[in-house]
Amino acid sequence: MTDENGFIHPYVPNAAPAPRRRLLGEIGVEKVSDLYVSVPEELQVKGLLNLPDALPAEHDLRRHVDEMLSRNLSCRDHLNFCGAGCWQHYVPAICDEITGRGEFLTAYGGGTYSDHGKNQAIFEFQSLIGELVGMEVVGTPAYDIGAAVNSAVTMACRITERRGVLLSGGVSASLRSQVRGFTKMVADVDLIGIDPATGLIDLDDLKAKLTGDIGAVYFENPAFLGLIDGRGAEIAALVHAAGALLVVGVDPLSLGVLAAPGDYGADIVCGEIQPLGIHMYGGGGCAGFIASRDEERFVAEFPMILMSIAPGAEEGDIGFAWSTMQRTSYDKRHDSEDYAGTTQWLWGIGAAVYLSLMGPRGMEELGRGILQRARYAAGRIDGLEGAGVPHLDGAFFKEFTVDFSASGKSVGDINAALLARGIFGGKDLSADFPLLGQSALYCVTEMHGKSDIDRLVDTLAEVLS
Amino acid sequence: MSANGGGFHAARWNEALINELSEEGARGIVPPAVDAEIAAAVGDVAAALPEGARREAPPDLPEVTQHRVLRHFLRLSQMCMGFDVTTDMMGTCTMKYSPKAHEHMARGAKLADLHPLQDVGSLQGLLELMYRFNRIMCEISGMDEFTFQPASGAQGIYTNACLIRAYHESRGDLGKRDEIITTAASHPADAATPSVAGFKVITLMPGEMGFAGVDALKAAISERTAGLMLTNPEDTGQYNPNIRQFVDLVHEAGGLCAYDQANGNPLLGVVRAGDTGFDMCQFNLHKTFSAPHGSLGMGCAAVGVKDFLRKFLPRPIVAEDGSGGYRLDYDPGQGIDRIRAFIGNVHAVLKAYSWVMSLGAEGLRAVAETAVLNNNYMLAKMRTVRGVTIPWPANNYPKLEQVRYSFEQMFAETGVTSHDVIDRMVDFGVQHCMPSHVPMLVTEPFTMEPGESLTVAEMDQMLAAIEAISDEAYSDAAKAQGGPYNAATTRIDGDVPEDPDCWAFTYRGYLRKKAMWTSENRRKIERHEGGY
């Protein structure tokens, strides 16, 4: 490209010769390189980068990318039983319709007046999550539940002025890694043991570890391995008696049937919103949230943007604004203990649409149905030779562990055999939870009818035999 | 006149909150029913839940019929100024066109309905795309390996801070090297994220040229220096020509250098972080590489490192499997802990890859040059707007992709502030500009970045809006201070979101606290004037 012949492309209109000449003339320079005089010559690339040949025709580009993508097998053409932090749920058409709207999709940092609608949608996201978890303060979306937990446990440490964090030993290896990295310099993290009989956190171990140094205790309900703990209030009482704060992680999709953590004593609630009307996008659908009571000492420690409602100038008008930004790293810069920035707001809007569609009845029916399907699937799998569901007598939501150790086969081999028959099996837990042997985490959602579950069971029977 | 030829008025639906649209018994969607045989086999599982875990009353969500939910959110979308509908020159944001074809590809089942833990054999298309883009990013940046795990610029910069920490830790130097140097006009995340990672942060202030000088850097460097983290050009649009010397000095002192390429749009195909001597860098795929900004995310940071830092990247990394396919390398090695769940915002990677493939090497350079061309055109015109000044007048270099202007003179002469201008802009049918990140180095700041996507006519419409506001400031200051008038909502009581007695972040908080809005006992609020 030269200044004379320019470059013609639909995405760069002023690279064409005529506007390029015109703009150079208006600026009063002869050539574009005159505009780069602040950049030392020796740092500038000579010639062009060595990149693949361009595909400027949209058709050619789509053909190229679609050809690559066609080599993926998707959960729409395969039967999927893998969850483990990213779950296949039905995404209502209206969720896709709204998250695909250009006005939202291509908005960014607009404010009270320019992006009023975005702000209202995010305020509604906060509102609807608040109803599910039983809290009055909900922040704008976090990156994912792991980032939310990072922020929540360090918030709790700052509020209590303590360094100790106790994490349930049942959280995922991924989340454990996220927390370990984030808290490395500011907190001491220990794990609460899991009672092998129940799969739930061991309260004796919790009591023993709840010293005066502990600022935050984190457990998930339902747990990563699907189990539901009915002792939330008891755990909260223990934690509060020790002067610590209780952080509870939830799958918000479960809260049509499960108690709101705010109602059993949680101080901060975290969660993953991907199940609420967001496609999995290979994990890109993940986004999180943090919620707390409306107390100044909590709000002051929220790291992210908080969207507040406010009255407009005329009677009945409402507007929205980013509240108390002096809390955030935008203002605190080198004094920051956490950071704010672009996160996953579009998925927050999608979740608001989802919860608006579902309503109280939808969430309740969905939750009840998932409980039933998961129990049916677990019961049938438990009946297979070589497979067992360790906590079949406990309560679980959506996911449950299947132990294949008795079969003499590895989860890896079983999953490969399932895949050959068109099924994605559960997440292999053997590396992350070695004590569980050859176990896998199976996920059953409202996407699965009886015939799907029966097909899984029949196929497993074939694979295990 | 409006930017679009006159008479602009935003949609103002006065749309109620979704909670207020609730009508008892209305349904928006019905979940799939449970098969009767399953129900018969397992009974009422919910009723058998442990008492302490069972929800006693359904959540107080709104009950709204389907089309009304659709209408509600469509109306909200109409009250939002995305790039698809209007000109957005918000500084530090690199707003540009996000091609629709890429969006359509990302929304197909072969990406949207992938589970991240599927067998790698079933993800070969995605992994190949990520691998190819990794190689492309290496060529663009001069780095040797990339990860796409971080979900935003700030998270990418945080990743850089963690990499610096891991490097010094591996050498047993972490206790000795605990200081990161940045500059005041770099993005706040360049100061904030190393602080989060446990470093002390030294911020260099700009000299008369508008960027930090070599002497300031020398004074900050010591045996405690762990690294340098900055943007260049900074958020002022000014490129620091001493950058190579900065990097060399920090290296000589034993520190690492991280190049935050949040402002990298004018450098695509022109300057490479690796050639400038940096050890690592990060690019925003949602800004520079056209993936849509998603109302404040889904973003994606591409974090690149030189070969000697490859072992510290967070896992997994996409690698060749030796037989023509691709695998995910989960071997933790010395890799830093996970930054984000799974393998990143891969839909943003797809869009960024598609964008580069559409443009090619020549096109990337055209993007950079045109962004600079457009910006200097805006600068030439903005110089003539009454009340506008260009800070750091000693610096006569052309700016690169953005300019931090000042309305100091207009404020002195009329009382109209840059925030007034920003609010008033919306009446002209354009997205407002941002003032400045903290610290406020410039009085009455106003930061504009036109990007490469806009036509000359669109830039002229933006200029016409600014000129009209300037004229108004000098003829009818009260009107210029009272905007917006034609926006989606009327001016709010800005003290409410700052007042703990009044703020409300949820509907339930709003119901409890709104009576305080009109109470005589409201506290006096010190208004916060930062810009984002």
Side-chain angles (χ1 to χ4, degrees):
Chain A
M1 173 183 51
T2 63
D3 288 316
E4 286 69 43
N5 61 18
F7 178 79
I8 311 285
H9 192 284
Y11 307 161
V12 202
N14 297 344
R20 193 172 164 104
R21 269 197 304 275
R22 180 176 157 201
L23 294 179
L24 285 170
E26 294 271 5
I27 296 165
V29 295
E30 282 183 18
K31 49 195 191 302
V32 166
S33 59
D34 294 341
L35 299 174
Y36 279 100
V37 287
S38 61
V39 182
E41 189 74 32
E42 65 271 19
L43 295 182
Q44 295 196 29
V45 172
K46 309 291 178 288
L48 291 174
L49 298 176
N50 180 20
L51 294 177
D53 290 342
L55 298 169
E58 189 171 305
H59 167 266
D60 298 342
L61 177 74
R62 288 188 77 151
R63 194 161 165 165
H64 165 71
V65 174
D66 284 342
E67 190 281 321
M68 244 190 302
L69 291 182
S70 72
R71 277 177 263 144
N72 294 329
L73 307 178
S74 89
C75 294
R76 211 178 292 179
D77 46 43
H78 279 55
L79 197 49
N80 171 45
F81 293 95
C82 189
C86 185
W87 301 278
Q88 187 183 13
H89 289 282
Y90 181 70
V91 177
I94 290 179
C95 292
D96 282 335
E97 187 74 20
I98 297 300
T99 56
R101 285 293 291 196
E103 297 91 330
F104 285 147
L105 183 67
T106 64
Y108 198 36
T112 296
Y113 307 112
S114 56
D115 285 356
H116 172 73
K118 170 189 85 182
N119 289 348
Q120 181 167 339
I122 289 294
F123 176 80
E124 291 175 353
F125 159 77
Q126 295 175 174
S127 295
L128 301 176
I129 294 290
E131 293 305 330
L132 285 179
V133 302
M135 290 292 192
E136 267 193 19
V137 178
V138 179
T140 57
Y143 296 107
D144 53 30
I145 187 174
V149 173
N150 284 342
S151 293
V153 298
T154 49
M155 280 169 69
C157 286
R158 294 195 296 274
I159 292 167
T160 58
E161 298 180 344
R162 295 174 175 189
R163 273 186 67 98
V165 173
L166 294 178
L167 287 188
S168 161
V171 302
S172 72
S174 170
L175 189 135
R176 220 152 55 215
S177 176
Q178 277 180 285
V179 175
R180 187 169 55 219
F182 188 81
T183 59
K184 192 177 174 111
M185 310 299 278
V186 294
D188 305 311
V189 179
D190 197 1
L191 296 179
I192 310 162
I194 296 295
D195 180 347
T198 61
L200 304 173
I201 56 176
D202 178 343
L203 291 197
D204 290 334
D205 194 48
L206 172 63
K207 284 179 205 162
K209 287 175 175 162
L210 257 178
T211 64
D213 298 329
I214 301 299
V217 172
Y218 175 76
F219 83 105
E220 293 172 344
N221 207 9
F224 174 66
L225 299 182
L227 294 161
I228 295 165
D229 201 323
R231 304 166 301 170
E234 190 183 345
I235 293 168
L238 284 173
V239 170
H240 292 154
L245 295 177
L246 178 63
V247 183
V248 176
V250 293
D251 172 356
L253 193 95
S254 69
L255 294 178
V257 287
L258 296 190
D263 293 346
Y264 56 74
D267 300 290
I268 307 177
V269 183
C270 299
E272 173 58 59
I273 64 171
Q274 178 272 326
L276 306 179
I278 315 300
H279 291 277
M280 296 181 288
Y281 285 109
C286 292
F289 70 84
I290 305 177
S292 79
R293 294 187 297 278
D294 190 354
E295 293 177 24
E296 279 185 72
R297 66 187 179 126
F298 281 88
V299 171
E301 300 301 336
F302 268 71
M304 69 270 287
I305 295 163
L306 293 169
M307 189 71 74
S308 177
I309 191 169
E314 288 161 31
E315 182 66 27
D317 281 0
I318 50 168
F320 305 87
W322 299 8
S323 161
T324 56
M325 289 298 286
Q326 61 274 22
R327 291 174 290 109
T328 69
S329 62
Y330 284 110
D331 276 30
K332 289 168 88 171
R333 293 188 67 107
H334 58 275
D335 287 327
S336 299
E337 290 142 322
D338 203 334
Y339 59 93
T342 297
T343 57
Q344 301 278 93
W345 283 31
L346 192 69
W347 297 157
I349 294 173
V353 177
Y354 183 84
L355 292 172
S356 302
L357 286 168
M358 292 295 282
R361 300 288 155 228
M363 290 301 284
E364 188 185 4
E365 287 169 15
L366 182 73
R368 296 175 78 90
I370 288 174
L371 284 168
Q372 289 176 305
R373 289 176 178 90
R375 179 150 293 277
Y376 172 77
R380 285 218 56 201
I381 292 171
D382 188 60
L384 292 173
E385 191 73 33
V389 175
H391 304 294
L392 195 57
D393 53 344
F396 49 90
F397 183 80
K398 193 159 86 176
E399 291 178 282
F400 53 89
T401 303
V402 180
D403 185 355
F404 293 108
S405 300
S407 72
K409 290 185 161 62
S410 72
V411 174
D413 288 344
I414 293 165
N415 280 351
L418 289 175
L419 180 54
R421 293 158 177 82
I423 295 174
F424 295 129
K427 177 186 162 56
D428 187 345
L429 298 172
S430 60
D432 295 347
F433 294 88
L435 293 177
L436 301 181
Q438 287 300 319
S439 289
L441 184 63
Y442 272 74
C443 171
V444 178
T445 74
E446 79 284 4
M447 303 284 281
H448 299 112
K450 180 174 179 294
S451 61
D452 299 320
I453 296 170
D454 289 346
R455 186 179 143 206
L456 168 70
V457 174
D458 294 345
T459 311
L460 271 174
E462 179 192 333
V463 165
L464 291 172
S465 64
Chain B
M1 66 161 274
S2 104
N4 301 309
F8 172 81
H9 197 303
R12 189 185 287 178
W13 286 102
N14 290 317
E15 181 70 2
L17 295 168
I18 189 73
N19 307 68
E20 296 168 338
L21 297 175
S22 189
E23 292 184 12
E24 197 180 338
R27 296 293 297 260
I29 197 161
V30 178
V34 178
D35 298 75
E37 287 171 77
I38 289 183
V42 299
D44 186 351
V45 181
L49 285 170
E51 202 180 329
R54 201 183 319 137
R55 190 164 200 121
E56 297 303 336
D60 194 9
L61 298 174
E63 298 174 88
V64 189
T65 199
Q66 188 167 106
H67 86 271
R68 191 65 185 87
V69 174
L70 177 65
R71 261 185 199 177
H72 174 73
F73 286 100
L74 281 184
R75 288 174 177 186
L76 295 188
S77 76
Q78 290 184 352
M79 297 188 283
C80 186
M81 289 182 161
F83 191 92
D84 274 2
V85 284
T86 194
T87 294
D88 184 342
M89 292 196 187
M90 200 172 293
T92 82
C93 296
T94 315
M95 303 305 298
K96 61 174 67 181
Y97 174 56
S98 301
K100 287 295 157 196
H102 309 171
E103 188 65 28
H104 285 232
M105 290 190 284
R107 284 171 175 262
K110 292 291 190 178
L111 192 79
D113 294 324
L114 296 184
H115 192 287
L117 300 176
Q118 281 176 216
D119 184 274
V120 291
S122 67
L123 295 174
Q124 285 299 301
L126 173 63
L127 298 185
E128 179 177 342
L129 186 145
M130 292 177 78
Y131 185 84
R132 283 177 182 237
F133 192 57
N134 199 325
R135 301 279 77 77
I136 284 173
M137 290 306 295
C138 289
E139 173 66 14
I140 289 172
S141 65
M143 295 289 152
D144 298 314
E145 185 76 77
F146 270 81
T147 177
F148 307 117
Q149 198 179 105
S152 76
Q155 203 166 52
I157 301 163
Y158 171 68
T159 305
N160 280 332
C162 292
L163 291 168
I164 294 174
R165 187 173 74 188
Y167 169 78
H168 291 302
E169 193 174 21
S170 75
R171 297 159 61 90
D173 280 350
L174 190 55
K176 292 176 246 164
R177 294 189 177 275
D178 58 359
E179 292 180 355
I180 294 286
I181 300 169
T182 187
T183 65
S186 288
H187 191 276
D190 290 295
T193 63
S195 169
V196 174
F199 292 105
K200 293 193 194 78
V201 177
I202 300 171
T203 302
L204 307 182
M205 299 306 284
E208 63 166 0
M209 291 290 280
F211 46 76
V214 172
D215 289 342
L217 177 68
K218 283 181 176 164
I221 285 178
S222 74
E223 71 283 354
R224 303 211 70 86
T225 301
L228 176 74
M229 298 178 69
L230 42 63
T231 54
N232 190 33
E234 298 185 294
D235 286 356
T236 55
Q238 297 176 138
Y239 186 89
N240 185 339
N242 305 314
I243 192 65
R244 180 75 217 204
Q245 210 177 339
F246 269 48
V247 169
D248 290 343
L249 285 166
V250 170
H251 280 159
E252 282 163 28
L256 296 183
C257 297
Y259 201 161
D260 174 4
Q261 297 273 26
N263 301 334
N265 205 41
L267 304 181
L268 293 172
V270 180
V271 175
R272 308 199 310 163
D275 299 345
T276 313
F278 281 89
D279 306 295
M280 66 190 87
C281 67
Q282 80 87 22
F283 288 88
N284 292 324
L285 300 188
H286 54 295
K287 294 181 176 176
T288 311
F289 288 85
S290 89
H293 292 63
S295 279
L296 229 67
M298 59 268 166
C300 184
V303 169
V305 296
K306 288 274 179 69
D307 201 37
F308 74 102
L309 294 172
R310 189 192 301 254
K311 61 188 172 191
F312 298 115
L313 284 176
R315 274 19 182 198
I317 291 172
V318 179
E320 288 177 290
D321 69 1
S323 55
Y326 302 89
R327 67 192 173 91
L328 284 170
D329 177 4
Y330 277 97
D331 178 9
Q334 289 177 274
I336 61 169
D337 275 304
R338 267 192 172 284
I339 299 296
R340 173 165 168 78
F342 306 113
I343 50 176
N345 278 342
V346 297
H347 45 305
V349 177
L350 178 143
K351 294 167 193 173
Y353 173 80
S354 301
W355 187 75
V356 173
M357 287 304 295
S358 173
L359 288 159
E362 195 179 7
L364 274 195
R365 182 141 192 150
V367 164
E369 291 184 358
T370 305
V372 174
L373 192 64
N374 288 352
N375 185 47
N376 282 284
Y377 173 73
M378 292 298 292
L379 173 61
K381 297 288 181 182
M382 285 288 285
R383 279 184 195 281
T384 68
V385 175
R386 190 174 178 194
V388 173
T389 53
I390 316 301
W392 300 292
N395 185 333
N396 289 316
Y397 289 128
K399 311 296 182 205
L400 292 189
E401 87 294 7
Q402 62 188 316
V403 178
R404 180 149 297 158
Y405 299 94
S406 173
F407 281 106
E408 182 179 14
Q409 186 189 331
M410 178 189 286
F411 175 64
E413 292 169 353
T414 68
V416 174
T417 67
S418 65
H419 273 95
D420 293 331
V421 174
I422 284 164
D423 285 345
R424 190 75 174 98
M425 285 174 76
V426 181
D427 288 330
F428 293 80
V430 292
Q431 180 59 274
H432 71 60
C433 284
M434 66 104 68
S436 162
H437 289 304
V438 172
M440 296 297 203
L441 301 168
V442 168
T443 310
E444 298 302 330
F446 183 83
T447 312
M448 251 183 168
E449 179 182 4
E452 79 278 10
S453 300
L454 301 174
T455 64
V456 179
E458 286 170 318
M459 293 196 289
D460 286 344
Q461 286 163 355
M462 176 63 95
L463 287 163
I466 303 290
E467 279 162 3
I469 296 169
S470 168
D471 289 348
E472 184 177 270
Y474 283 93
S475 62
D476 186 354
K479 188 167 184 204
Q481 291 166 322
Y485 303 97
N486 299 333
T489 189
T490 49
R491 270 176 83 102
I492 62 162
D493 177 347
D495 285 350
V496 161
E498 305 298 313
D499 180 348
D501 298 329
C502 294
W503 68 38
F505 307 115
T506 54
Y507 184 65
R508 52 164 66 189
Y510 163 68
L511 291 182
R512 184 171 66 82
K513 296 169 87 172
K514 67 177 176 183
M516 272 305 290
W517 291 359
T518 49
S519 163
E520 289 170 7
N521 301 324
R522 289 266 299 271
R523 359 181 159 183
K524 178 89 185 93
I525 295 298
E526 227 170 273
R527 288 294 285 280
H528 174 71
E529 293 297 340
Y532 311 98

